[in-house]
Amino acid sequence: MTERDDILVTSEFAAFRAAYSPAVRPAGPAAVRETIRQRRRRTAVVTAAAVVLAVAIPVGANAALQRRTGRPPAPAQSIEPTPSQTLPSSTPTTASPTPSTADPTPATPSGRISRTQLLAARLDLPDWPWYVPKTCTTAKVRLDPGPGVIGDSVPVLLGDPDYGDLDGDGGAETVALVSCRNGEAQVKQVVAFDRDVGGRIRPMGQIVGTFDELPDITEFSVRADGRIRVRVADGQACCGTPGWMPQRQWRTYAWSGGRFRQVEGPTSFGPNPHVVDLAITADDITWGPKGADGTRTGTAVVIVRNLSQVPASLVEVHLRMQVGTTADGGDWAACQGGPPPKGPIICRFGPLGPGATRTFRFGLRNSNTSSGTGIAEVDPIGTEAFPLSDPSRENNEDRYRYR
């Protein structure tokens, strides 16, 4: 017992004795000490009860308010607990999450696809033009159909693919030239391929195709900046078209706005310097009376026109008619080499400029007395270093009568 307790006990005992000593026998110091202990216990119990009520009443009031209004209560002022005190909580305690140890989502597989992988896969392709055969399919296509269908109209891979970061995502994509036969010619498209997160090959999009004004694609390459250079032509070297005739140019394409767009190079073809459009007309021939040698003479009036925007450096006119007819006077002197000897009746001349017209009056001698129908033909010749062609053949000949 402390000194303070001794003083308190002595004081209490003195008061008690003064008040009750006339009527009661003193109980002694032990009884007084027990009384003091009981008072202290009651004081502690009352204090603890007051603390519990102070916490519980606001919590209950907030819960009742939320039930009536449907609104969550305003946050209460935070009370910092003492180290020996634990505040009750109205919500269960949730442990702080620990850092995940699971593997991160795997990166998308590389879009660099080899030729062997392209040939082995079942691929989806961009649409072909409407006029191609139905066998030019686009869904689950094998670009290596096997030897049993060579020459058929099915999609095939031409040449080797090329690679580059086309969309700027840091990974490589694959560019390939795909073809499908349409009669003697081929329809082609340059297609970009990538892989999805599952590793499946998917088409990224068509870069350019041989549709409308682009009859042919001959080669392509991917630049270091991810742009694709494609060499296109205004004609396809097939089906009687010589390889020197198509006009070729480089165009550059890039991924922009979710698709491929042309960003460099010409957007159209000018007049093809190897292609002209010549036309010919010929009047009927009337033979004169027989001469002393038994032959007759006449004149063939022939008009040649250049309907194109390209000059024709050298042109050939051929008169087909009955045997026994030869050149004789008139405009044969304007032909290269002069009048033709016996044999084909041919005149070569030039140049004939764009839109120009040339009229000839060819003298003829005929030892045959029969009548018939002849054909006047015109063809561009050009030079060995720069040949010419005339694909529009419907106006390259004209029929005439001789009698």
Side-chain angles (χ1 to χ4, degrees):
M1 183 180 294
T2 65
E3 183 179 356
R4 182 176 178 275
D5 290 337
D6 289 338
I7 295 172
L8 183 58
V9 170
T10 303
S11 176
E12 289 286 335
F13 184 74
F16 177 84
R17 183 174 57 187
Y20 296 98
S21 60
V24 191
R25 186 179 180 178
V32 174
R33 293 187 182 97
E34 180 62 29
T35 299
I36 291 172
R37 293 189 186 97
Q38 290 176 359
R39 288 178 181 175
R40 288 178 174 172
R41 284 195 294 270
R42 285 197 300 271
T43 300
V45 170
V46 171
T47 301
V51 171
V52 171
L53 288 175
V55 174
I57 288 174
V59 172
N62 283 343
L65 178 62
Q66 184 177 2
R67 286 193 298 271
R68 289 196 304 272
T69 66
R71 296 191 301 271
Q77 184 177 0
S78 174
I79 302 176
E80 291 292 332
T82 61
S84 60
Q85 197 175 20
T86 302
L87 295 179
S89 176
S90 60
T91 58
T93 302
T94 303
S96 299
T98 58
S100 174
T101 58
D103 292 336
T105 302
T108 302
S110 172
R112 188 181 181 89
I113 306 162
S114 68
R115 174 180 172 82
T116 301
Q117 291 169 329
L118 284 175
L119 293 176
R122 291 281 182 181
L123 304 174
D124 292 332
L125 299 176
D127 290 338
W128 299 100
W130 61 270
Y131 53 81
V132 300
K134 293 182 179 179
T135 50
C136 295
T137 55
T138 59
K140 300 188 181 306
V141 175
R142 283 288 303 275
L143 296 180
D144 183 14
V149 291
I150 288 179
D152 290 353
S153 298
V154 293
V156 293
L157 179 64
L158 299 180
D160 293 326
D162 201 1
Y163 310 95
D165 184 5
L166 308 183
D167 55 7
D169 65 353
E173 287 82 34
T174 300
V175 179
L177 178 58
V178 182
S179 168
C180 195
R181 187 171 297 279
N182 180 31
E184 293 184 52
Q186 297 183 73
V187 181
K188 303 175 184 178
Q189 54 178 319
V190 181
V191 183
F193 293 97
D194 200 357
R195 292 186 187 271
D196 60 20
V197 293
R200 292 178 295 271
I201 301 174
R202 61 175 180 83
M204 185 176 173
Q206 182 191 99
I207 299 169
V208 64
T210 56
F211 314 139
D212 302 327
E213 55 92 28
L214 287 180
D216 198 15
I217 296 172
T218 59
E219 56 184 307
F220 72 93
S221 64
V222 182
R223 297 190 336 196
D225 60 1
R227 295 185 173 188
I228 306 100
R229 295 182 72 237
V230 182
R231 198 179 190 199
V232 298
D234 64 353
Q236 198 165 127
C238 78
C239 329
T241 300
W244 49 259
M245 194 184 83
Q247 187 175 200
R248 298 175 175 87
Q249 57 187 215
W250 286 97
R251 301 182 183 184
T252 303
Y253 300 82
W255 181 258
S256 175
R259 67 184 184 91
F260 290 99
R261 306 172 188 268
Q262 185 180 349
V263 294
E264 294 176 9
T267 57
S268 63
F269 291 99
N272 190 324
H274 290 283
V275 177
V276 296
D277 183 9
L278 302 180
I280 190 170
T281 58
D283 292 346
D284 290 344
I285 301 173
T286 301
W287 298 115
K290 287 185 179 181
D293 59 358
T295 63
R296 300 179 298 175
T297 60
T299 301
V301 179
V302 177
I303 301 174
V304 180
R305 296 179 176 88
N306 184 354
L307 304 180
S308 65
Q309 303 178 42
V310 175
S313 57
L314 186 63
V315 178
E316 180 180 277
V317 173
H318 187 183
L319 297 180
R320 299 181 183 273
M321 58 190 309
Q322 65 187 156
V323 177
T325 303
T326 58
D328 184 45
D331 290 335
W332 291 107
C335 302
Q336 189 180 80
K342 292 184 178 181
I345 308 173
I346 292 175
C347 174
R348 288 188 174 185
F349 70 95
L352 185 64
T357 299
R358 186 78 177 265
T359 302
F360 295 92
R361 301 180 66 85
F362 294 126
L364 300 172
R365 182 174 293 275
N366 180 17
S367 61
N368 193 322
T369 59
S370 63
S371 300
T373 301
I375 300 175
E377 296 179 344
V378 63
D379 286 292
I381 302 300
T383 64
E384 185 176 350
F386 199 88
L388 297 174
S389 177
D390 186 354
S392 303
R393 302 297 303 175
E394 65 276 1
N395 56 2
N396 283 65
E397 64 179 43
D398 187 31
R399 292 181 178 273
Y400 61 92
R401 292 185 59 80
Y402 55 87
R403 55 183 182 276

